[in-house]
Amino acid sequence: MATALEERIYRTGKWLYELIEGESPSIFKKEYWSGKVIEWCMKDEKFKVQMFRFIDVLPYLTRTESVVQHLNEYFCGPDGSAPPVLQWGIKGMGLMSFTSKFMAQSIAENIKNMGKLFIAAETPQEALPVLEKLRKDGLAFSVDLLGEAVVSEAEAEEYQRRYMELLDTLGEAQKSWTPLGDGSGNLDWGYAPMINVSIKPSAMYSQMRPQAFDYSVDQARERLRPILRKAVSMGAHITLDMEHYELKDMTFALFQRLKEEPEFREYPEFGIVIQSYLKSSEEDCKRILAWAEKNKMRIPIRLVKGAYWDAEVIWARQKNWPIPVFTRKAETDARFEKLAALLLQNHQRVYFACASHNIRSISFVIETAKDLKVPHSAYEFQILFGMAEPVRNALRKAGLPLRLYTPIGEMIPGMAYLIRRLLENTANESFLRLSFSEGKSIDELLKNPLELINTRESKKPAAESEATLPPFKNEPPTDWTVEANRRSFASALREVRKSMPFQAPLIIDGKKIKTEEIIESRNPNSFSEIVGVASKANGSHAQKAVEAAWKAFPSWGDTPPERRAEILIRAAEEARKKRHFLAALQVLEVGKSWSEADADVCEAIDFLEYYAREMIRLSRPRRMGDVPGEISELFYEPRGVALVVAPWNFPLAISTGMTSAALVTGNTVVYKPSSQSAITGYMMVTLFEKAGLPPGVLNYLPGPGRIIGDHLLRHPLVHMIAFTGSKEVGLHIIAQAAQTPPEAQHVKSVIAEMGGKNAIIIDSDADLDEAVVHVLHSAFGYQGQKCSACSRVIVLEENYDRFVTRLKAAAESIEIGPVEDPRFFMGAVIDEGAQKKIMEYIEHGKKDGKVLVMKTPEKGAEGGYFVPLTIFTDLPPDHRLCQEEIFGPVLVVIKARTFDEALDIANGTAFALTGGVFSRSPQNIEKAKKAFRVGNLYINRGITGAIVNRHPFGGFKLSGIGSKAGGPDYLLQFMVPRNNVENTMRRGFAPDIDFSDL
Amino acid sequence: MATALEERIYRTGKWLYELIEGESPSIFKKEYWSGKVIEWCMKDEKFKVQMFRFIDVLPYLTRTESVVQHLNEYFCGPDGSAPPVLQWGIKGMGLMSFTSKFMAQSIAENIKNMGKLFIAAETPQEALPVLEKLRKDGLAFSVDLLGEAVVSEAEAEEYQRRYMELLDTLGEAQKSWTPLGDGSGNLDWGYAPMINVSIKPSAMYSQMRPQAFDYSVDQARERLRPILRKAVSMGAHITLDMEHYELKDMTFALFQRLKEEPEFREYPEFGIVIQSYLKSSEEDCKRILAWAEKNKMRIPIRLVKGAYWDAEVIWARQKNWPIPVFTRKAETDARFEKLAALLLQNHQRVYFACASHNIRSISFVIETAKDLKVPHSAYEFQILFGMAEPVRNALRKAGLPLRLYTPIGEMIPGMAYLIRRLLENTANESFLRLSFSEGKSIDELLKNPLELINTRESKKPAAESEATLPPFKNEPPTDWTVEANRRSFASALREVRKSMPFQAPLIIDGKKIKTEEIIESRNPNSFSEIVGVASKANGSHAQKAVEAAWKAFPSWGDTPPERRAEILIRAAEEARKKRHFLAALQVLEVGKSWSEADADVCEAIDFLEYYAREMIRLSRPRRMGDVPGEISELFYEPRGVALVVAPWNFPLAISTGMTSAALVTGNTVVYKPSSQSAITGYMMVTLFEKAGLPPGVLNYLPGPGRIIGDHLLRHPLVHMIAFTGSKEVGLHIIAQAAQTPPEAQHVKSVIAEMGGKNAIIIDSDADLDEAVVHVLHSAFGYQGQKCSACSRVIVLEENYDRFVTRLKAAAESIEIGPVEDPRFFMGAVIDEGAQKKIMEYIEHGKKDGKVLVMKTPEKGAEGGYFVPLTIFTDLPPDHRLCQEEIFGPVLVVIKARTFDEALDIANGTAFALTGGVFSRSPQNIEKAKKAFRVGNLYINRGITGAIVNRHPFGGFKLSGIGSKAGGPDYLLQFMVPRNNVENTMRRGFAPDIDFSDL
């Protein structure tokens, strides 16, 4: 049967191709400007990148000068490869010359026209004639409202309003329409509503986060319900679009929960989308079918291939998650057919929309539907507006029910959509490209994708020898879209709470010592809760701890580096085993949100895995020079006893980073955790204990800095200090440690990571969809209690009002409350002292500047150290709020006239830790890379969350001394270099003369 | 004619081979132990190395346990590749088991027997029967007395005595001899004295140094004259052997000067050697012939191939000098023939000894002599005792006059000789190996070497693009054997003196400023001489200098690294142009000897060339991580204003090193030279000026440390300090710099290289020939005024007496006086303060220990700050002389019972800079490499004179903080690391997804 079916599919495909009659999609037509551009994009990857980026930024450029400027930067730089065919000849021209302006305008016009290929109109009202023309041509539509990313509840509400308006407009218009085909009433072809609208769930709620799965879904549900209700009232069809993988399960849940509501349960015109490029698509599809069966519902399902392929691959690889999409096109095509068949089989429950431009896929559906005797009223075909016109025409000629997915919206928000379409057209495996541009043979194009699936086994890495570690990979953060993970985290929180209060005695020389004086560690979000009780060391304990570490040093220092690295790897394994427990403890002990706590544990694991490998790398002596008769080797050795003084804000990660670096390099450690995170610090020590670290090598010594800290700083047996914390304490440590006591046999070395006063610059061409979200994340993630946090945002005046408006709305949408509940993005600050200090800063700000946002926590936050999320404007750049580290959720917006001025302001503090720039000007990006002098500069992304190995972290000026954590120079600081030179010539004879260069 | 000659050579060669009758030299006879060993050596390079080294150390091993121990270490380690054929099966056995002892004794016996193959006897008396047996067999001899390296005048005198005794013994014995061949009287064959002795010039004077060419030659001449006189009196033949290339010209001069003395002018039996492997051999030969012609002398010339090939290649490559020897065997063979023909042509003036085992060479001489009708009385043949017996027999059968070069001496000093012979036998291109072991065809072996010279052009490096620098090479030190160099240096000294006193104004912001207060820089060897006058800066100058540097920073810091590197390369070029001037200035300003001053300038040039390249390497950003959608780059930037505080002891090198590192990394510099070397410091600044450094980037600021130093240390605009000097000043700088002033925008970073209290361990199996010389060089070079100098020598008790005896004699042979005269190895210390301090230490030593050596300078040293060269014994390791840095020519000898104890003593100070070990125990060497914890450990060589790139230099503990100068981590300290991360994904699209690992 398969063969007979295949044959029919082939024949139908051939027939459809014949109907195309050699027509080509306008996007490929080389006689048009867009065709030429597309051709060059397909030829030249570099040009494609620049072109897509230029298209992306173009709508933001309000002045012709900016267009000229950007054209120059994108295409006329040393890297710019303007193909001669474009002939814009701007290079070398005066920027403001008439010719260059004229050229720029014409190019901008061309690109806007390209946009119009795919976007029907800017408003529903303007779209009406287009839609009516479509209907006149026998084509149905599904309207989608394009919009900027929804970063605030205000924007979500606006979106909702626009959809209501759209429905009203269409409802009014349809009165004059006649159904397509044999339709009657308001039904095209007799079974499909004339009004068909697609809605993106991400537009319905601005704070959608899988951690707060149910809450997010319910918030979106509230906003979608009125739209759906209106659709029901007018018999319109609504499809809930499917976006990124991260939103997939929330989208299904949103759909199902709404559909289960009594008023919608019976309504057959509320549908969903399945993306066949997802590896999970079959399972999802079956689950939905089973649910529909169980509820006796009929649901419309649009089957697509999927439009976010590039991004899904990148995101997954960046997070080290399994890639959720198929990486071979044929797999997606095969899955499409499999699911199409499944949906057609279930035509009693499913109204099936086959959304593809692929003639093979279409033919498969036509013939399978015939095979399964699916009634015509159970399926339709969909393609995108402006794409694949020849396919459209062929399907129409073939008399098939065809609907165009038709976006409406402005250019700016339309760009993301346009680029997705261009990507689709220019991708190497694009069906359209292969069909219409590359002229692949029809036989090839109509092949069963199963045949094309390369059957070779994916390369498995060769079995690693036990001696060598596999290459370093970052620990994947928890994927909150997986329900099991959410459950596991919630259960870890319960487990932690059950064990409270934890007990943390001192650990000196492997012995646990309980002291009478204690440190209470409390939940910042609920300060009546005692998370744990740690012992409190005094000077005499400090003395004993140093002695224990010094006693353990000779044997640990001489332990082979590979063995020391093994201990780190085992500690990482221990941490992995209880990662949710460790993260949950942080939620309760230091008030981190789920994600922040999870990221901290990942980073701790990363440090262990990375430094283990770094040590193995550095343990190989480097041969120096190349003369015969001599072997000269450079290598590194531990220093001795390291004092690690750790902060509470990354209570596991930074402690583990500094400690593991000290340990793996062969030093022994006296570890003083912050009192605020003494319990998490204790947990770190137990990880190393479980990993088999010998007693005395790591000593746990919580206690007051002014007593034990100073005792240790002056101690002649302390060889080095690794510190992360405030500038004040850091400078004190540096000054103290440099006073070499007379009995010392070395100079103490200090690594100090201190504060920051980090700025993000918003250029006049910045993508605000991205900028607003990342600024807020960078400024208010963990309540701004990160040395890397953004506390100044410097906005070019051209963009100032738009940015500030969106920022304000988005900031006001942030939910504040006890972060144990994952719906809260922001929680309490660490303690009363912090609360008081931050409130003082806010008072200063109120006095001297303007409050843009001051959002207080929701009810239920009375028992925690909460402060309002605060954004100021109109403060001078040298104001103390713009100069001093606040370490809380306080952000200042500063206006700058030029990019250079913005850089000056950004650089104008005593700190140099992190910084950010949102810009789409290659020239400004390059300028910032050079002149925005901070330890870690981030372009077009947030400025917190440095990842081990990918982003070696640390600053200079008063932000720190020493080289970057999680980077290739870091371990060197924990060691002294040595050089052994052996004269290998004896009696005139040496073993290794190399004659090759004589 | 050539062809006819070639044919005859071939025929004669064939005939000689026939006379060999399949005989093989005993060394290759596989039925013997030695034959097996030689076979394995030729098969396995690693084994050969171990074997040669074992043979080298064996005679030093007085106890069987030591032999067993060393056998184990050499052949049974993880690397040891004991071939099964040797079957000593010691591995795993108890070290002291009877079997292992038995095996060890038998192996030792075998090796000693191998020695006896090549060494006739231990004393002249014992040798007599051997020599008489030779004569009975029709063979003449030339006796050579083997001996340890002559490291003292006492040893040179002993050598002289032994030669006198040898001549007496032979004179007495010859009375009973009858001449060989048709000889009569005391003449073999009618023309050759029966007594023939070879003498090494290096045995005649212990302090032979080419810098003091004439003086060295004359000292040797004094000692050789009595021997020669005695030879004349008895009609004996004396050949002055030719040793290393370094001694070649001195050997010729010694020969010529003696020969020109009236009493020897007519004596025809005093001869010399020409080594045809030297590229200069033809020129030398012609020069000697012309000289003989001019003086109407007849001189014996022995023509050899040359026996120090490996060492010459190694030494030349280590110094980056042209290799003086041919690197292809055929070139040497061809040169041999060319010179043989030349010498035969000049038979009126030359008595020619053809010294070769190569049958082709021998046949060439036989036939060429025939061709040229050279009388038989004008030439003879020579081969080595114990080598090439088949050749010997063939020549004897052929009736040719043949003499054996016959060494006499003990095993220990004989080892160097034995290893040269083994090397010769086992070399890949060895004629004997090819003939008798590898069975190469006779036709091949008899080929004209000219045919074999590979005519391919030597690879020339591809023309370097201007953008890239050629790879780093160390600047070659001056070759003092070249007369032009000696002259040039002497003339530079005159030039410097002529310009004295130099004027050195301050240089601030490019402006030269003369102050009223001045610093006088005086010649330490003649303190009435003012070398120069430098201005003296005060606090206000310091302030101006920092401001100038800070003003110059933005532009210099942003100058592309390649441009900054260019300035260094140009400065190096400037230094090269006037290197003798710069070195001569040091001789006069700080009292360095010629070589020490020359090395300092080379090191300065090296720093410039090395750091230029290092900066280019480091200026390439490193891409971090490998996720798509992100470009993360790690790179480095300058810190700001660097204060360079330099010492006087390496007045150009260390100043240039620190300054060029600061400059090339983009910092601007305030340079404070030592007042004692302010003029040399000024010269460094002018090098940079000439190289095009912009004004203000490098400011010259001599002055008192307590005024300008402290002002600068506290200055908020000084970003970093690079210091080299004493521990006291260093710790002060570190402590001061760490007090961050409130107005500072950064923490100062400090690199400090401080003192040392460096030890050399002399193991019980150490090669004392090497150890004594290197200890003295390390301890007394530049009067011990180096932080790397050896001030403690720790001797294993087994070796103590022998070592101390030789050390004492050698130390007493060192000549002390004003180092402007190159014959003085040691000169005055830097100034009166140093003199006083050192004398105080010497007083302490005298009080608490025993004086082994106290050598005062020669007359003429009254006007300098001289102190005696002093060696103490019997001081406890914790005595202040064993703990404190003296910085003068004071050495303490400490006895240790075990190697572990020696290591403990060595490590038992607060310093950790350099250290050394002389040992031939692989196990102890490995132990020291790990446990002798110093910055720079040197095995079997001196501990001073670290070379840029080859020996990254610097210590830890109280010897310094910061990473090694001249090494790959050094420049990092002058920069801050930065990381730029660009999110390259826009609208879901990023340019660089790598699908290969999906």
mmCIF file of all heavy atoms in Angstrom, chain A residues 545-546 548-557 638-644 662-663 666-670 696-699 720:
data_model
loop_
_atom_site.group_PDB
_atom_site.id
_atom_site.type_symbol
_atom_site.label_atom_id
_atom_site.label_comp_id
_atom_site.label_asym_id
_atom_site.label_seq_id
_atom_site.Cartn_x
_atom_site.Cartn_y
_atom_site.Cartn_z
ATOM 1 N N ALA A 545 42.936 26.891 62.954
ATOM 2 C CA ALA A 545 42.590 26.558 61.572
ATOM 3 C C ALA A 545 43.792 26.765 60.664
ATOM 4 O O ALA A 545 44.085 25.943 59.782
ATOM 5 C CB ALA A 545 41.416 27.427 61.104
ATOM 6 N N VAL A 546 44.517 27.866 60.867
ATOM 7 C CA VAL A 546 45.698 28.107 60.033
ATOM 8 C C VAL A 546 46.741 27.017 60.278
ATOM 9 O O VAL A 546 47.351 26.498 59.355
ATOM 10 C CB VAL A 546 46.315 29.493 60.317
ATOM 11 C CG1 VAL A 546 47.590 29.682 59.518
ATOM 12 C CG2 VAL A 546 45.328 30.582 59.951
ATOM 13 N N ALA A 548 46.229 24.003 61.263
ATOM 14 C CA ALA A 548 45.780 22.747 60.647
ATOM 15 C C ALA A 548 46.048 22.785 59.138
ATOM 16 O O ALA A 548 46.524 21.815 58.545
ATOM 17 C CB ALA A 548 44.288 22.550 60.912
ATOM 18 N N ALA A 549 45.749 23.918 58.539
ATOM 19 C CA ALA A 549 45.943 24.042 57.088
ATOM 20 C C ALA A 549 47.430 23.939 56.747
ATOM 21 O O ALA A 549 47.815 23.291 55.770
ATOM 22 C CB ALA A 549 45.373 25.370 56.595
ATOM 23 N N TRP A 550 48.246 24.557 57.563
ATOM 24 C CA TRP A 550 49.692 24.534 57.301
ATOM 25 C C TRP A 550 50.241 23.123 57.490
ATOM 26 O O TRP A 550 51.110 22.663 56.746
ATOM 27 C CB TRP A 550 50.392 25.539 58.221
ATOM 28 C CG TRP A 550 51.869 25.661 58.037
ATOM 29 C CD1 TRP A 550 52.830 25.470 58.983
ATOM 30 C CD2 TRP A 550 52.583 26.001 56.831
ATOM 31 N NE1 TRP A 550 54.080 25.672 58.451
ATOM 32 C CE2 TRP A 550 53.955 25.991 57.140
ATOM 33 C CE3 TRP A 550 52.167 26.304 55.522
ATOM 34 C CZ2 TRP A 550 54.938 26.286 56.187
ATOM 35 C CZ3 TRP A 550 53.149 26.587 54.563
ATOM 36 C CH2 TRP A 550 54.515 26.574 54.907
ATOM 37 N N LYS A 551 49.699 22.428 58.452
ATOM 38 C CA LYS A 551 50.128 21.054 58.704
ATOM 39 C C LYS A 551 49.730 20.155 57.518
ATOM 40 O O LYS A 551 50.462 19.246 57.128
ATOM 41 C CB LYS A 551 49.451 20.549 59.992
ATOM 42 C CG LYS A 551 50.031 19.266 60.549
ATOM 43 C CD LYS A 551 49.217 18.775 61.750
ATOM 44 C CE LYS A 551 47.897 18.173 61.299
ATOM 45 N NZ LYS A 551 46.989 17.748 62.365
ATOM 46 N N ALA A 552 48.572 20.456 56.961
ATOM 47 C CA ALA A 552 48.095 19.605 55.854
ATOM 48 C C ALA A 552 48.753 19.974 54.533
ATOM 49 O O ALA A 552 48.656 19.232 53.552
ATOM 50 C CB ALA A 552 46.570 19.748 55.726
ATOM 51 N N PHE A 553 49.415 21.125 54.508
ATOM 52 C CA PHE A 553 49.913 21.620 53.217
ATOM 53 C C PHE A 553 50.945 20.719 52.535
ATOM 54 O O PHE A 553 50.796 20.409 51.344
ATOM 55 C CB PHE A 553 50.470 23.040 53.362
ATOM 56 C CG PHE A 553 51.109 23.563 52.100
ATOM 57 C CD1 PHE A 553 50.354 23.745 50.949
ATOM 58 C CD2 PHE A 553 52.472 23.835 52.042
ATOM 59 C CE1 PHE A 553 50.938 24.200 49.774
ATOM 60 C CE2 PHE A 553 53.066 24.286 50.873
ATOM 61 C CZ PHE A 553 52.298 24.462 49.732
ATOM 62 N N PRO A 554 52.000 20.280 53.236
ATOM 63 C CA PRO A 554 53.031 19.539 52.497
ATOM 64 C C PRO A 554 52.458 18.349 51.735
ATOM 65 O O PRO A 554 52.767 18.149 50.558
ATOM 66 C CB PRO A 554 53.999 19.101 53.598
ATOM 67 C CG PRO A 554 53.809 20.092 54.700
ATOM 68 C CD PRO A 554 52.356 20.449 54.654
ATOM 69 N N SER A 555 51.592 17.608 52.402
ATOM 70 C CA SER A 555 51.117 16.400 51.735
ATOM 71 C C SER A 555 50.102 16.737 50.641
ATOM 72 O O SER A 555 50.124 16.176 49.550
ATOM 73 C CB SER A 555 50.549 15.440 52.786
ATOM 74 O OG SER A 555 49.290 15.002 52.422
ATOM 75 N N TRP A 556 49.229 17.717 50.913
ATOM 76 C CA TRP A 556 48.257 18.105 49.883
ATOM 77 C C TRP A 556 48.958 18.792 48.705
ATOM 78 O O TRP A 556 48.657 18.538 47.536
ATOM 79 C CB TRP A 556 47.190 19.003 50.487
ATOM 80 C CG TRP A 556 46.163 19.473 49.494
ATOM 81 C CD1 TRP A 556 45.957 20.745 49.069
ATOM 82 C CD2 TRP A 556 45.217 18.658 48.788
ATOM 83 N NE1 TRP A 556 44.943 20.790 48.150
ATOM 84 C CE2 TRP A 556 44.472 19.514 47.954
ATOM 85 C CE3 TRP A 556 44.935 17.289 48.773
ATOM 86 C CZ2 TRP A 556 43.460 19.059 47.113
ATOM 87 C CZ3 TRP A 556 43.924 16.822 47.933
ATOM 88 C CH2 TRP A 556 43.197 17.693 47.125
ATOM 89 N N GLY A 557 49.898 19.656 49.023
ATOM 90 C CA GLY A 557 50.611 20.372 47.963
ATOM 91 C C GLY A 557 51.363 19.424 47.042
ATOM 92 O O GLY A 557 51.533 19.705 45.859
ATOM 93 N N PRO A 638 51.886 25.251 44.345
ATOM 94 C CA PRO A 638 50.998 25.967 45.267
ATOM 95 C C PRO A 638 51.767 26.957 46.134
ATOM 96 O O PRO A 638 52.977 26.855 46.290
ATOM 97 C CB PRO A 638 50.400 24.852 46.125
ATOM 98 C CG PRO A 638 51.328 23.699 45.985
ATOM 99 C CD PRO A 638 51.925 23.814 44.614
ATOM 100 N N ARG A 639 51.024 27.894 46.723
ATOM 101 C CA ARG A 639 51.646 28.896 47.579
ATOM 102 C C ARG A 639 51.722 28.450 49.034
ATOM 103 O O ARG A 639 52.714 28.682 49.706
ATOM 104 C CB ARG A 639 50.832 30.196 47.515
ATOM 105 C CG ARG A 639 50.915 30.892 46.168
ATOM 106 C CD ARG A 639 50.107 32.189 46.165
ATOM 107 N NE ARG A 639 50.252 32.893 44.907
ATOM 108 C CZ ARG A 639 51.208 33.792 44.650
ATOM 109 N NH1 ARG A 639 52.110 34.080 45.561
ATOM 110 N NH2 ARG A 639 51.267 34.382 43.466
ATOM 111 N N GLY A 640 50.662 27.839 49.549
ATOM 112 C CA GLY A 640 50.656 27.444 50.956
ATOM 113 C C GLY A 640 49.239 27.454 51.487
ATOM 114 O O GLY A 640 48.362 26.777 50.963
ATOM 115 N N VAL A 641 49.024 28.275 52.503
ATOM 116 C CA VAL A 641 47.695 28.358 53.102
ATOM 117 C C VAL A 641 46.939 29.525 52.483
ATOM 118 O O VAL A 641 47.430 30.645 52.475
ATOM 119 C CB VAL A 641 47.793 28.560 54.628
ATOM 120 C CG1 VAL A 641 46.406 28.763 55.230
ATOM 121 C CG2 VAL A 641 48.494 27.377 55.274
ATOM 122 N N ALA A 642 45.779 29.228 51.961
ATOM 123 C CA ALA A 642 44.950 30.278 51.367
ATOM 124 C C ALA A 642 43.781 30.571 52.297
ATOM 125 O O ALA A 642 43.138 29.650 52.799
ATOM 126 C CB ALA A 642 44.436 29.841 50.002
ATOM 127 N N LEU A 643 43.571 31.853 52.509
ATOM 128 C CA LEU A 643 42.383 32.274 53.245
ATOM 129 C C LEU A 643 41.330 32.671 52.212
ATOM 130 O O LEU A 643 41.581 33.521 51.366
ATOM 131 C CB LEU A 643 42.741 33.471 54.141
ATOM 132 C CG LEU A 643 41.578 34.229 54.787
ATOM 133 C CD1 LEU A 643 40.781 33.322 55.721
ATOM 134 C CD2 LEU A 643 42.112 35.435 55.558
ATOM 135 N N VAL A 644 40.188 32.011 52.281
ATOM 136 C CA VAL A 644 39.103 32.325 51.343
ATOM 137 C C VAL A 644 38.007 33.058 52.101
ATOM 138 O O VAL A 644 37.446 32.512 53.056
ATOM 139 C CB VAL A 644 38.559 31.040 50.684
ATOM 140 C CG1 VAL A 644 37.305 31.349 49.866
ATOM 141 C CG2 VAL A 644 39.623 30.389 49.806
ATOM 142 N N ALA A 662 41.815 27.343 44.956
ATOM 143 C CA ALA A 662 42.895 27.230 45.936
ATOM 144 C C ALA A 662 43.261 25.772 46.151
ATOM 145 O O ALA A 662 44.438 25.402 46.216
ATOM 146 C CB ALA A 662 42.467 27.875 47.251
ATOM 147 N N LEU A 663 42.263 24.916 46.249
ATOM 148 C CA LEU A 663 42.529 23.508 46.550
ATOM 149 C C LEU A 663 43.191 22.787 45.384
ATOM 150 O O LEU A 663 44.169 22.070 45.549
ATOM 151 C CB LEU A 663 41.221 22.785 46.900
ATOM 152 C CG LEU A 663 40.554 23.174 48.214
ATOM 153 C CD1 LEU A 663 39.230 22.425 48.361
ATOM 154 C CD2 LEU A 663 41.465 22.861 49.400
ATOM 155 N N GLY A 666 46.696 23.099 44.955
ATOM 156 C CA GLY A 666 47.538 22.476 45.972
ATOM 157 C C GLY A 666 47.658 23.254 47.260
ATOM 158 O O GLY A 666 48.418 22.872 48.146
ATOM 159 N N ASN A 667 46.930 24.356 47.365
ATOM 160 C CA ASN A 667 46.932 25.094 48.610
ATOM 161 C C ASN A 667 45.952 24.450 49.587
ATOM 162 O O ASN A 667 45.007 23.781 49.187
ATOM 163 C CB ASN A 667 46.503 26.548 48.363
ATOM 164 C CG ASN A 667 47.411 27.243 47.370
ATOM 165 O OD1 ASN A 667 48.510 27.667 47.696
ATOM 166 N ND2 ASN A 667 46.956 27.328 46.114
ATOM 167 N N THR A 668 46.190 24.693 50.859
ATOM 168 C CA THR A 668 45.179 24.314 51.837
ATOM 169 C C THR A 668 44.429 25.588 52.225
ATOM 170 O O THR A 668 44.930 26.689 52.043
ATOM 171 C CB THR A 668 45.804 23.643 53.060
ATOM 172 O OG1 THR A 668 46.859 24.473 53.544
ATOM 173 C CG2 THR A 668 46.385 22.294 52.667
ATOM 174 N N VAL A 669 43.224 25.389 52.745
ATOM 175 C CA VAL A 669 42.313 26.526 52.804
ATOM 176 C C VAL A 669 41.713 26.717 54.195
ATOM 177 O O VAL A 669 41.331 25.750 54.860
ATOM 178 C CB VAL A 669 41.165 26.325 51.772
ATOM 179 C CG1 VAL A 669 40.073 27.375 51.954
ATOM 180 C CG2 VAL A 669 41.719 26.364 50.354
ATOM 181 N N VAL A 670 41.670 27.992 54.597
ATOM 182 C CA VAL A 670 40.804 28.385 55.702
ATOM 183 C C VAL A 670 39.679 29.187 55.063
ATOM 184 O O VAL A 670 39.919 30.230 54.450
ATOM 185 C CB VAL A 670 41.547 29.241 56.734
ATOM 186 C CG1 VAL A 670 40.583 29.729 57.811
ATOM 187 C CG2 VAL A 670 42.694 28.451 57.349
ATOM 188 N N GLY A 696 41.807 18.725 57.322
ATOM 189 C CA GLY A 696 42.780 19.812 57.492
ATOM 190 C C GLY A 696 43.015 20.599 56.229
ATOM 191 O O GLY A 696 43.497 21.724 56.278
ATOM 192 N N VAL A 697 42.692 20.010 55.086
ATOM 193 C CA VAL A 697 42.961 20.689 53.816
ATOM 194 C C VAL A 697 41.977 21.843 53.611
ATOM 195 O O VAL A 697 42.330 22.881 53.073
ATOM 196 C CB VAL A 697 42.912 19.685 52.644
ATOM 197 C CG1 VAL A 697 43.023 20.395 51.314
ATOM 198 C CG2 VAL A 697 44.023 18.645 52.806
ATOM 199 N N LEU A 698 40.752 21.639 54.091
ATOM 200 C CA LEU A 698 39.748 22.701 53.985
ATOM 201 C C LEU A 698 39.110 22.876 55.356
ATOM 202 O O LEU A 698 38.505 21.941 55.881
ATOM 203 C CB LEU A 698 38.692 22.324 52.934
ATOM 204 C CG LEU A 698 37.449 23.204 52.851
ATOM 205 C CD1 LEU A 698 37.804 24.661 52.608
ATOM 206 C CD2 LEU A 698 36.522 22.700 51.740
ATOM 207 N N ASN A 699 39.268 24.050 55.930
ATOM 208 C CA ASN A 699 38.754 24.310 57.270
ATOM 209 C C ASN A 699 37.654 25.359 57.194
ATOM 210 O O ASN A 699 37.802 26.376 56.514
ATOM 211 C CB ASN A 699 39.895 24.772 58.165
ATOM 212 C CG ASN A 699 41.007 23.729 58.223
ATOM 213 O OD1 ASN A 699 40.921 22.756 58.952
ATOM 214 N ND2 ASN A 699 42.029 23.919 57.390
ATOM 215 N N MET A 720 48.105 33.443 51.079
ATOM 216 C CA MET A 720 47.354 34.242 50.120
ATOM 217 C C MET A 720 45.916 34.386 50.593
ATOM 218 O O MET A 720 45.436 33.608 51.424
ATOM 219 C CB MET A 720 47.393 33.615 48.734
ATOM 220 C CG MET A 720 46.658 32.308 48.619
ATOM 221 S SD MET A 720 46.591 31.781 46.893
ATOM 222 C CE MET A 720 45.663 33.132 46.165
#
